[in-house]
């Protein structure tokens, strides 16, 4: 069997063929390896959809009809996060294009590679306020990595190839291609353009780190007594999971991740301190407050991580590794800046460390790791249990227990933070809107992720308020039988808004209660043709999640949880990371407890260790 790309290639000799702009667009997408497109048609993009119809008939790719263009952008985003490939979405001109803007901004803030194709009014009508005309090129300029208006069908193949190159290289991001209707219909001589032919003189991302900076960074690492790796989404984009683990283990450096960095490092590993920041673990926030060297890897010193910026790692020297030179030094001036691809830079560090036989002292960070282990015991994350209601954390813990290797998407709010705290995700198994914090993201992102990885379990954790932002995408999930499982953490509130109103606005709960007008989500799911379930009692929870996972098809579970549960720990705005609200009652560590000795190397380990820090053997 030949591939779809081969089928089209075989019909096109090396000499030019007369083709429409719409054909060139679709053919170019197929040649870039695109297998699926999420979109919604309209007048200005109909020439493209007409050509898409032919491509689908040939089996070249599949289009997924969403019920709102925002869902198309989020689905393409979810597809890209689950695979590392470029996602693609379509929308028409005017309101179709503007409906994509939130999804474009979401991808932009989180550096996700997405190609957005919009229809536009004919070239002669541009600027005349024609029916359904908007300047989507101008509207999205601050939200994209690059954008095009295709003025000539002859340019289409080159533009598509350039767009994929720009979106997927360097710091990834969304690229817009706006196609006037008459360009889609216009014929021209077509010869396919390969990515290898693309030369963009003004766009040459730095890949390798400067050797002098590599050596300087190693000197700081060698000297540090209390180092900490602070890892963001850039490490996931660079597929640097293995290199990060090797560096952490080689120098025995604890690892904290941002919300976007979750999954880049195994949270079951003894060196993991999990997420830091506003709702991070206490031990991660204490560690960043007391470290003497902070190694920022693909992270941008976001305010939700740093808290009060001038007190963030205030006693530490900083190594900052990032492919985007604009991020290095933007919020915090590093001692050693290294611009380059995260994976490549980490490989350089490891290679140079081996050449220099570093580290010379394998025990150097052990007192630091022991101190962090004490914080783990003194300030653990806890799952509360109430007699007459289900706590939200119990729901997250139960689904994590039953589906430990699933791909999870979330919406935004308290449930997102609880999911970040209690799920232990693998690489590209955590899909969440970080920078923009987009409610309504979870369901369409799960749809895109499931299309991307059809053999993986995909579960969306959402809230009752977030879910109602894009619930119409249940229709798309039902139409295409996309086996997405959705769990609504239903507390009847915009939960995070209520928590802030309670803590900082004198308990004035202005427009944050969602109970009046709330639909019956079980019946709503059934109306879309999706299996619906409602859970109100502890006794129902485990079996319901088991049924959800076992069901061959999409499922929605509405879990009614404790109404006024708050998400802790929490770093209040303007406070340092060490000043957390809602810490659990401090547990004391019994220093007399007999230590654990590693069965492999005989190393003495704290009782709190899960892995031997010397040789990595599971204890």
């Amino acid at each position: 069997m030949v591939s779809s790309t081969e089928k089209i290639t075989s019909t096109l000799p090396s000499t030019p063929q007369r083709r429409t702009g719409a054909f060139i667009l679709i053919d170019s997408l197929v040649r870039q390896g695109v297998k699926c497109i999420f979109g919604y048609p309209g007048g200005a993009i109909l020439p493209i959809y007409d050509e898409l119809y032919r491509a689908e008939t040939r089996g070249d790719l599949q289009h997924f009809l969403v019920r709102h263009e925002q869902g198309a952008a989020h689905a393409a985003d979810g597809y890209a996060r689950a695979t590392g490939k470029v996602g693609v979405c379509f929308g028409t001109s005017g309101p179709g294009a503007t409906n994509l803007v939130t999804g474009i901004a979401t991808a932009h803030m989180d550096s996700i590679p997405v190609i957005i194709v919009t229809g536009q009014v004919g070239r002669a009508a541009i600027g005349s306020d024609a029916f359904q005309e908007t300047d989507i090129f101008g509207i999205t300029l601050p939200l994209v990595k690059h954008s095009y208006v295709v003025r000539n069908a002859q340019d289409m193949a080159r533009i598509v190839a350039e767009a994929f190159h720009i979106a997927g290289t360097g710091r990834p991001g969304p690229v817009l291609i706006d196609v006037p209707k008459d360009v889609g219909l216009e014929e021209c001589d077509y010869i396919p353009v390969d990515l290898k032919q693309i030369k963009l003189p003004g766009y040459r991302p730095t890949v390798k780190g400067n050797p002098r900076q590599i050596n300087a960074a190693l000197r700081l690492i060698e000297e540090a007594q209390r180092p900490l790796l602070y890892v963001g989404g850039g490490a996931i984009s660079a597929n640097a999971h293995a290199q990060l683990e090797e560096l952490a283990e080689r120098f025995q450096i604890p690892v904290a991740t941002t919300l976007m960095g979750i999954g880049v490092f195994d949270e079951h590993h003894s060196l993991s301190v999990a997420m830091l920041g506003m709702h991070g673990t206490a031990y991660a926030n204490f560690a960043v407050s007391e470290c003497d060297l902070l190694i920022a890897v693909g992270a941008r010193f976001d305010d939700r991580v740093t808290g009060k910026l001038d007190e963030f790692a205030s006693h530490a020297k900083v190594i900052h590794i990032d492919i985007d030179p604009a991020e290095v030094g933007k919020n915090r001036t590093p001692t050693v800046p290294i611009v380059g691809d995260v994976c490549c830079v980490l490989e350089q560090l490891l290679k140079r460390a081996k050449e220099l036989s570093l580290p010379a002292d394998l025990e150097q960070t052990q007192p630091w790791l022991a101190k962090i282990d004490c914080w783990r015991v003194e300030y653990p994350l806890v799952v509360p249990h109430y007699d007459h209601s289900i706590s939200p954390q119990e729901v997250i813990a139960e689904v994590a227990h039953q589906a430990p290797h699933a791909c999870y998407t979330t919406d935004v709010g308290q449930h997102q933070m609880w999911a970040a705290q209690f799920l232990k995700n693998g690489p590209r198994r955590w899909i969440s809107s970080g920078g923009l914090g987009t409610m309504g993201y979870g369901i369409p992102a799960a749809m895109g992720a499931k299309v991307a990885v059809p053999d993986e379990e995909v579960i969306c954790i959402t809230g009752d308020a977030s879910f109602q932002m894009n619930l119409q995408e249940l229709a798309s999930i039902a139409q295409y039988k996309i086996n997405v499982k959705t769990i609504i953490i239903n507390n009847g509130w915009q939960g995070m808004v209520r928590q802030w109103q309670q803590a900082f606005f004198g308990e004035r709960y202005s427009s944050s209660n969602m109970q009046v007008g709330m639909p019956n989500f079980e019946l709503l799911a059934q109306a879309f043709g999706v299996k619906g379930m409602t859970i109100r009692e502890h006794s129902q929870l485990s079996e319901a999640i088991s049924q959800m996972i076992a069901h061959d098809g999409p499922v929605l579970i509405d879990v009614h949880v404790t109404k006024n549960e708050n998400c802790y720990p929490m770093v209040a705005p303007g406070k340092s990371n060490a000043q957390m609200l809602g810490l659990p009652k401090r547990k004391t560590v019994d220093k007399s407890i007999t230590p654990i000795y590693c069965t492999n190397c005989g190393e003495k380990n704290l009782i709190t260790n899960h892995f031997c820090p010397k040789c990595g053997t599971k204890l």
Side-chain angles (χ1 to χ4, degrees):
M1 179 180 288
V2 296
S3 69
S4 57
T5 302
E6 290 170 335
K7 282 187 284 185
I8 287 187
T9 303
S10 65
T11 65
L12 287 174
S14 58
T15 55
Q17 299 288 309
R18 296 295 290 179
R19 300 294 185 186
T20 65
F23 176 91
I24 297 170
L25 171 67
I26 298 298
D27 183 57
S28 298
L29 291 175
V30 172
R31 290 175 185 278
Q32 295 302 331
V34 174
K35 299 297 183 185
C36 63
I37 296 168
F38 305 91
Y40 200 100
I45 202 172
L46 281 183
I48 293 171
Y49 267 83
D50 191 46
E51 198 58 57
L52 176 62
Y53 174 86
R54 296 185 180 95
E56 281 200 282
T57 301
R58 291 192 299 268
D60 295 336
L61 45 70
Q62 183 175 9
H63 177 268
F64 293 86
L65 174 65
V66 297
R67 268 48 180 184
H68 189 287
E69 288 88 353
Q70 186 182 136
H74 291 331
D77 176 304
Y79 179 96
R81 296 193 203 216
T83 61
K85 300 177 182 178
V86 178
V88 180
C89 62
F90 283 2
T92 194
S93 66
T98 57
N99 281 345
L100 289 163
V101 170
T102 297
I104 296 170
T106 300
H108 170 70
M109 288 288 283
D110 290 347
S111 303
I112 306 303
V114 177
I115 301 293
I116 306 99
V117 178
T118 51
Q120 184 55 276
V121 299
R123 285 169 289 187
I126 292 176
S128 69
D129 292 333
F131 177 67
Q132 289 195 333
E133 180 194 359
T134 57
D135 179 13
I136 195 63
F137 178 92
I139 288 170
T140 59
L141 273 178
L143 306 176
V144 295
K145 190 174 178 183
H146 197 62
S147 49
Y148 297 90
V149 177
V150 186
R151 301 286 182 176
N152 191 314
Q154 193 73 58
D155 298 329
M156 184 73 79
R158 172 186 59 81
I159 285 173
V160 171
E162 286 182 5
F164 272 82
H165 176 64
I166 293 169
T169 59
R171 179 178 182 173
V175 176
L176 174 79
I177 303 175
D178 195 34
V179 185
K181 186 174 183 178
D182 56 331
V183 172
L185 296 169
E186 182 180 68
E187 288 191 352
C188 67
D189 291 336
Y190 171 46
I191 295 179
V193 175
D194 190 90
L195 272 179
K196 296 176 182 177
Q197 300 173 246
I198 297 301
K199 304 292 182 184
L200 299 174
Y203 177 70
R204 292 179 181 174
T206 301
V207 175
K208 291 187 177 181
N210 184 298
R212 286 175 297 181
Q213 300 299 83
I214 296 292
N215 286 330
L218 280 173
R219 283 194 296 271
L220 292 185
I221 294 171
E222 186 182 13
E223 295 167 0
Q225 302 291 319
R226 302 185 307 279
L228 179 68
L229 278 156
Y230 152 47
V231 188
I236 292 178
S237 297
N239 294 313
H241 317 92
Q243 292 78 9
L244 177 69
E245 183 178 13
E246 186 178 350
L247 181 71
E249 290 182 343
R250 184 175 187 88
F251 288 94
Q252 288 298 289
I253 304 173
V255 180
T257 64
T258 67
L259 181 72
M260 289 299 301
I262 289 174
V264 73
F265 190 78
D266 183 3
E267 289 190 18
H268 296 95
H269 198 293
S270 64
L271 290 172
S272 172
V273 293
M275 186 177 73
L276 81 168
M278 180 171 280
H279 291 286
T281 65
Y283 33 94
N285 284 332
F286 284 139
V288 79
S289 299
E290 296 194 18
C291 66
D292 63 2
L293 176 64
L294 186 69
I295 308 168
V297 181
R300 56 188 180 89
F301 291 83
D302 177 74
D303 62 289
R304 288 296 174 102
V305 167
T306 64
K308 190 176 182 181
L309 184 59
D310 59 4
E311 294 184 20
F312 180 71
S314 57
H315 306 296
K317 295 177 181 179
V318 174
I319 300 168
H320 193 174
I321 304 169
D322 203 287
I323 197 164
D324 185 355
E327 288 295 344
V328 179
K330 184 178 78 174
N331 294 326
R332 174 73 179 266
T333 302
T335 313
V336 177
I338 305 178
V339 176
D341 177 81
V342 165
C343 186
C344 184
V345 171
L346 293 182
E347 287 178 347
Q348 287 178 273
L349 283 168
L350 288 164
K351 180 180 179 183
R352 187 60 178 152
K354 292 170 185 175
E355 291 172 353
L356 298 173
S357 299
L358 297 176
D361 181 5
L362 295 174
E363 304 295 323
Q364 184 166 305
T365 64
Q366 291 308 305
W368 173 233
L369 295 175
K371 187 172 187 179
I372 291 173
D373 279 334
C374 288
W375 285 330
R376 293 182 205 272
V377 176
E378 293 171 346
Y379 302 102
L381 288 174
V382 295
V383 177
H385 180 85
Y386 305 113
D387 291 337
H388 303 295
S389 65
I390 304 170
S391 75
Q393 298 93 321
E394 286 179 295
V395 183
I396 305 295
E398 182 61 33
V399 73
H401 172 70
Q402 294 200 32
H405 305 297
C407 177
Y408 287 94
T409 72
T410 78
D411 267 297
V412 171
Q414 287 179 317
H415 67 273
Q416 177 190 32
M417 295 298 103
W418 284 314
Q421 290 174 344
F422 292 101
L423 295 175
K424 307 296 183 184
N425 301 85
R428 297 195 179 278
R429 292 295 179 267
W430 169 259
I431 297 174
S432 189
S433 171
L436 197 64
T438 306
M439 294 173 68
Y441 174 82
I443 289 288
M447 177 170 63
K450 184 63 178 179
V451 169
V453 287
D455 296 329
E456 304 286 342
E457 190 75 61
V458 177
I459 299 173
C460 173
I461 307 292
T462 185
D464 53 282
S466 284
F467 174 71
Q468 293 182 75
M469 290 279 189
N470 269 322
L471 60 83
Q472 75 284 340
E473 297 311 325
L474 287 180
S476 301
I477 288 171
Q479 176 182 350
Y480 297 102
K481 298 180 175 59
I482 302 171
N483 192 357
V484 167
K485 311 302 165 85
T486 303
I487 300 175
I488 300 175
I489 308 296
N490 187 346
N491 59 12
W493 291 88
Q494 299 161 29
M496 193 62 82
V497 173
R498 184 205 60 76
Q499 180 170 337
W500 278 56
Q501 287 172 335
Q502 176 185 331
F504 309 120
F505 294 90
E507 301 186 18
R508 294 180 293 277
Y509 301 114
S510 175
S511 300
S512 55
N513 188 282
M514 300 296 290
Q515 288 181 293
V516 178
M518 182 183 293
N520 182 316
F521 292 123
E522 179 180 351
L523 295 180
L524 181 71
Q526 292 173 4
F528 281 108
V530 172
K531 179 179 175 63
M533 305 168 70
T534 302
I535 304 301
R536 298 178 186 272
E537 305 293 337
H538 284 106
S539 59
Q540 301 172 291
L541 182 61
S542 178
E543 178 59 27
I545 291 174
S546 179
Q547 289 182 26
M548 175 193 78
I549 294 170
H551 182 71
D552 184 17
V555 180
L556 182 144
I557 301 182
D558 177 20
V559 186
H560 290 250
V561 299
T562 309
K563 300 291 184 185
N564 59 350
E565 184 73 16
N566 287 336
C567 185
Y568 293 125
M570 179 181 182
V571 178
K575 300 295 184 181
S576 76
N577 284 44
Q579 297 172 287
M580 288 167 278
L581 303 175
L583 286 180
K585 186 176 179 181
R586 183 172 182 173
K587 294 183 178 180
T588 58
V589 180
D590 185 353
K591 305 273 195 307
S592 67
I593 295 175
T594 304
I596 300 173
Y597 289 90
C598 178
T599 56
N600 181 48
C601 68
E603 178 72 9
K604 178 180 172 182
N605 279 266
L606 291 176
I607 194 170
T608 53
N609 285 13
H610 300 295
F611 292 83
C612 174
K614 185 173 182 179
C615 69
T617 300
K618 186 174 178 60
L619 300 173

